[in-house]
Amino acid sequence: MDTEQNAQQQPAPDVVEAIRSRSAWARAACGELARAGRARKDETLLALASALRANGPAILAANAEDVERGKATGTTAALLDRLILDDDRLEGLAVALEDLAALPDPVGVVVRGRSLPNSVRMQQVRVPLGVVGAVYEARPNVTVDIAGIALKSGNAVILRGGSAAERTNTVLVQVLREAVGAQGFDPNLIQGIDDLGRPGVAALMEAHGSVDVLIPRGGRELIQRVVRESRVPVIETGEGNVHLYIDASAPVEMAADIALNAKTHRTSVCNAAETLLLHQDAEAAGREVLRALTRAGVLLHVDAGARAWLPDAADGGPAARTAVDATEEDWGREYLDMEMAVKTVGSLDEAMEHIRRWSTGHTEAIVTNDLANADRFVTEIDAAAVIVNASTRFTDGGELGLGSEVGISTQKMHARGPMGLEELTTTKWILRGDGQIRR
Amino acid sequence: MDTEQNAQQQPAPDVVEAIRSRSAWARAACGELARAGRARKDETLLALASALRANGPAILAANAEDVERGKATGTTAALLDRLILDDDRLEGLAVALEDLAALPDPVGVVVRGRSLPNSVRMQQVRVPLGVVGAVYEARPNVTVDIAGIALKSGNAVILRGGSAAERTNTVLVQVLREAVGAQGFDPNLIQGIDDLGRPGVAALMEAHGSVDVLIPRGGRELIQRVVRESRVPVIETGEGNVHLYIDASAPVEMAADIALNAKTHRTSVCNAAETLLLHQDAEAAGREVLRALTRAGVLLHVDAGARAWLPDAADGGPAARTAVDATEEDWGREYLDMEMAVKTVGSLDEAMEHIRRWSTGHTEAIVTNDLANADRFVTEIDAAAVIVNASTRFTDGGELGLGSEVGISTQKMHARGPMGLEELTTTKWILRGDGQIRR
């Protein structure tokens, strides 16, 4: 993450004023978008996709500058990987915008509607939130994803992409603004604030009443800072200390397949499993799971019970790494790497107690053939997603059919789990009468 | 409001510890409630109603002490009126609990559900928020209302009722806790923190992670303080600078009926109209509206255009008061009294511009017979409730069929408008598979 974003400082008056102006322009730009129907919004999304393709060389050139600078300043390989755009990734962003155009419009959906006893016709209807702020890190794809989702859901966005991707984001925002303008909308629907630097983020967090919601996307420090300091309502995204519990009745092969997929399909993401809980009576499944993980090259942090089930060195295969003893600290770690904590438990209750203690409320999963245990796990575990007999990797907007996502909310207010179009809306109560008064 | 609640001060460690303990007890108490089905919750609500009736004398005696103390310390008549309980009001609270029992359970409602392409069965299901904090002022009815709504929606509550009603609330909380315990639930589902005084509120606002949501109900200062200082997510309730716009095509009698009802049916509430906007071409309706309001004894703060339409003194009737000139300040005032600001406008656009400038986002209404204008008003005005040709007094949970309400949210996140049972829930994604992994 950008360590620069951690510094606390009071924004200067001109920065506060810049945020005030831009959020006012954003608010004004929303009006026209609110009146536009779905057709104009979808046409604009297609135009944004075309603009990305047409301006590919300029975008990639700007990105090359950022990458060059990143290499020169010793940016980690993982960060560079998130920063880099190429033809394929750019095409992926364009396709994602086209996919958004094909999704239903969340605005105007009638959530509830009925006639009241006095014949007033009541409807609760989805409407845009208004002005959405996003603060993220070195991932230019987020610029395009959030701009597209915001446009489709009728919102204006104010984007802060972090200094590592500043050149790329500047060009992307410019391309998107021009395309929006060419479609007859106010370009201020999409605005960047990277030019304001760190103080811009501080001023954005103070803009209660001007900005309707702030979405931080990135590492723990960035998110915690925004949650702690923002006066604008925040949707917290992110951290996933994801547990996979193998119950006593777990089918052996299913347990191994799911554990391997949950841990190794993609390690750097928040829905990857980080801790494995093995029921002490699930020895066959436990041994098979540990063999599969070891063969795949996962470094296991094991308790004494799990150590007894580790495969023999010869059985581990060429990629095998030596397991290490787990410490208390391992239960709280989000490795985001080819590492996993493993603990044996005596009962479902002990597993759930461990999860309650260490869960970040993202995704928790059980593999079991016991119906009562599955039901208890689903009811009693408090997380955005609870999964029975499937990989934790399914906590994902695309997988759930929500289209591209703004992030995965780990809070309970407003949105929980993958946030798509609907999560960038609020509702309005509309009452239509013919003179009714209250008696 | 309690001015004592405005003082900023760091809570002492023992107060922070008390809030930590009580919120942990509340969290633990939720588990049993989450597992209980609707039947047990409804039986408990009926038992709470019976307990209120059975303990009427003790509750009223405690209330008499608070009222006595309030009189001795010069509490205003309006505050005393909110504080006082009598047999009728107590019976009303018991009936409200019984009504809650009859409402559908929001927990377990399937918001979305389908089979994914890989045959994973996906459901998004309503679940309780968890631990709900409420900070309010001198209104003992809120203690019972919020405790009942929280119980039905599966939540635990931590209540801070303010020092003016401390005796009443102490007895009410005790009665409710005993009744909850007698039904086999953990009494810590309902806890008061009045014993912790002002520092208790400060510690509650810091309890991010322990308390899931904080609902302030009361005057502007209390609400603004909580919005400003709380690290726990807040649902902002309240202020209503409600506008009623009489369009050029407004039917004369309908305009007068609605204006009179919106202003005078009950003046102390947030959905009472505060500013009247009159189209300059609506002279007949404008004159009729001003005559009705004047006759009812409403003090009008008028601009020059409205002054020309005021009734003759003889026409005003015995209750008539002399209108005064409106100042800029009047456009922002929530009178909550028999007073109203009146402004003439040249167009629907001018009316909407005034509303955009001064609205608190609560309720805005239009009286019109022009379909295009009605549609524009509904689409372009950004408020929790937008009303066409009916009284503003209908922005109310009971009137909309939601049952008793926790408050009326004027924010856009999570809940907007009257908050009932559903608004005290979040959702959980539940995925059930038979071994699916991500490819």
Side-chain angles (χ1 to χ4, degrees), chain A residues 54-129:
Chain A
N55 292 279
I59 295 167
L60 296 184
N63 186 248
E65 284 181 46
D66 282 332
V67 171
E68 213 47 55
R69 187 160 37 84
K71 283 178 178 161
T73 55
T75 304
T76 64
L79 259 178
L80 280 179
D81 179 58
R82 282 154 49 166
L83 174 60
I84 291 174
L85 287 182
D86 56 23
D87 284 326
D88 277 358
R89 288 184 176 185
L90 201 58
E91 176 61 21
L93 290 175
V95 170
L97 290 172
E98 291 167 343
D99 289 347
L100 270 176
L103 287 175
D105 190 341
V107 173
V109 168
V110 178
V111 179
R112 289 188 265 205
R114 68 175 82 96
S115 276
L116 301 180
N118 59 8
S119 298
V120 166
R121 291 164 291 150
M122 173 270 269
Q123 291 189 319
Q124 186 184 15
V125 177
R126 286 210 178 281
V127 296
L129 279 172

Side-chain angles (χ1 to χ4, degrees), chain A residues 27 34-35 112 114 116-118 120 122 124 127-130 208 212-213 224 227-228 231 233-236 254 257-258 261 265 271 375-391 393-396 399-402 411-418 422-423 425-439, chain B residues 27 34-35 112 114 116-118 120 122 124 127-130 208 212-213 224 227-228 231 233-236 254 257-258 261 265 271 375-391 393-396 399-402 411-418 422-423 425-439:
Chain A
R27 178 81 57 200
R35 288 187 290 277
R112 289 188 265 205
R114 68 175 82 96
L116 301 180
N118 59 8
V120 166
M122 173 270 269
Q124 186 184 15
V127 296
L129 279 172
H208 182 256
D212 294 298
V213 57
Q224 289 308 314
V227 167
R228 195 172 56 241
R231 287 187 55 214
V234 170
I235 300 180
E236 196 173 340
M254 187 193 291
D257 287 350
I258 289 176
N261 191 258
H265 182 260
N271 58 18
D375 282 350
R376 281 196 60 200
F377 193 86
V378 162
T379 305
E380 297 179 35
I381 292 296
D382 190 22
V386 182
I387 298 182
V388 179
N389 295 344
S391 172
R393 291 277 292 128
F394 290 117
T395 306
D396 173 278
E399 292 292 321
L400 298 181
L402 309 180
Q411 70 178 31
K412 293 181 181 178
M413 297 271 293
H414 187 74
R416 200 177 194 204
E422 191 175 295
E423 285 69 25
T425 65
T426 180
T427 61
K428 181 192 271 188
W429 294 89
I430 299 171
L431 306 184
R432 291 183 174 90
D434 49 15
Q436 284 86 345
I437 58 174
R438 190 150 162 203
R439 306 292 172 183
Chain B
R27 178 81 56 200
R35 289 187 290 277
R112 289 187 263 205
R114 69 175 80 97
L116 301 180
N118 58 8
V120 166
M122 173 270 268
Q124 186 184 17
V127 297
L129 279 172
H208 182 256
D212 294 299
V213 57
Q224 289 308 314
V227 167
R228 195 171 56 242
R231 288 188 53 213
V234 170
I235 301 181
E236 194 172 343
M254 187 192 290
D257 287 352
I258 290 176
N261 190 259
H265 182 258
N271 58 18
D375 283 350
R376 281 197 59 199
F377 193 86
V378 161
T379 305
E380 296 178 36
I381 292 296
D382 189 22
V386 182
I387 298 181
V388 179
N389 295 343
S391 173
R393 291 277 292 127
F394 290 116
T395 307
D396 174 277
E399 293 292 321
L400 298 182
L402 310 180
Q411 71 179 31
K412 294 180 180 178
M413 297 271 294
H414 187 73
R416 199 178 195 201
E422 190 176 295
E423 286 69 27
T425 65
T426 180
T427 60
K428 181 193 273 188
W429 295 90
I430 299 172
L431 306 184
R432 291 183 174 90
D434 48 15
Q436 285 85 347
I437 59 174
R438 190 150 163 201
R439 305 289 171 186

Side-chain angles (χ1 to χ4, degrees), chain B residues 320-334:
Chain B
R321 296 156 79 177
T322 310
V324 298
D325 287 337
T327 64
E328 182 80 358
E329 197 188 308
D330 283 305
W331 311 135
R333 282 186 65 188
E334 194 181 356

Side-chain angles (χ1 to χ4, degrees), chain A residues 82-282:
Chain A
R82 282 154 49 166
L83 174 60
I84 291 174
L85 287 182
D86 56 23
D87 284 326
D88 277 358
R89 288 184 176 185
L90 201 58
E91 176 61 21
L93 290 175
V95 170
L97 290 172
E98 291 167 343
D99 289 347
L100 270 176
L103 287 175
D105 190 341
V107 173
V109 168
V110 178
V111 179
R112 289 188 265 205
R114 68 175 82 96
S115 276
L116 301 180
N118 59 8
S119 298
V120 166
R121 291 164 291 150
M122 173 270 269
Q123 291 189 319
Q124 186 184 15
V125 177
R126 286 210 178 281
V127 296
L129 279 172
V131 179
V132 174
V135 182
Y136 48 100
E137 293 166 331
R139 294 176 67 166
N141 63 308
V142 175
T143 303
V144 178
D145 280 348
I146 292 191
I149 295 173
L151 186 105
K152 176 89 185 200
S153 53
N155 296 285
V157 278
I158 295 179
L159 303 164
R160 157 66 178 174
S163 58
E166 190 169 344
R167 286 294 307 137
T168 317
N169 283 329
T170 301
V171 174
L172 280 174
V173 167
Q174 190 183 323
V175 166
L176 297 173
R177 282 171 61 91
E178 279 169 14
V180 162
Q183 294 293 311
F185 286 116
D186 186 336
N188 287 324
L189 284 173
I190 301 171
Q191 294 177 78
I193 57 164
D194 282 342
D195 59 306
L196 302 176
R198 288 171 280 172
V201 180
L204 192 65
M205 292 195 294
E206 286 294 311
H208 182 256
S210 304
V211 176
D212 294 298
V213 57
L214 201 52
I215 302 173
R217 255 186 88 167
R220 177 193 292 217
E221 283 175 76
L222 169 67
I223 292 166
Q224 289 308 314
R225 177 187 168 206
V226 174
V227 167
R228 195 172 56 241
E229 296 181 19
S230 180
R231 287 187 55 214
V232 174
V234 170
I235 300 180
E236 196 173 340
T237 64
E239 273 187 275
N241 186 19
V242 173
H243 298 80
L244 176 67
Y245 167 59
I246 310 297
D247 196 23
S249 64
V252 173
E253 202 179 330
M254 187 193 291
D257 287 350
I258 289 176
L260 191 65
N261 191 258
K263 178 68 253 181
T264 68
H265 182 260
R266 196 167 161 203
T267 55
S268 65
V269 288
C270 56
N271 58 18
E274 303 292 3
T275 295
L276 180 68
L277 299 170
L278 300 173
H279 192 288
Q280 63 188 20
D281 296 341

Side-chain angles (χ1 to χ4, degrees), chain A residues 309-329:
Chain A
W309 292 351
L310 285 172
D312 296 336
D315 204 20
R321 296 157 78 176
T322 312
V324 298
D325 286 337
T327 64
E328 182 80 358
E329 197 189 308

Side-chain angles (χ1 to χ4, degrees), chain B residues 256-273:
Chain B
D257 287 352
I258 290 176
L260 191 65
N261 190 259
K263 178 68 254 181
T264 69
H265 182 258
R266 198 169 159 202
T267 55
S268 65
V269 288
C270 56
N271 58 18

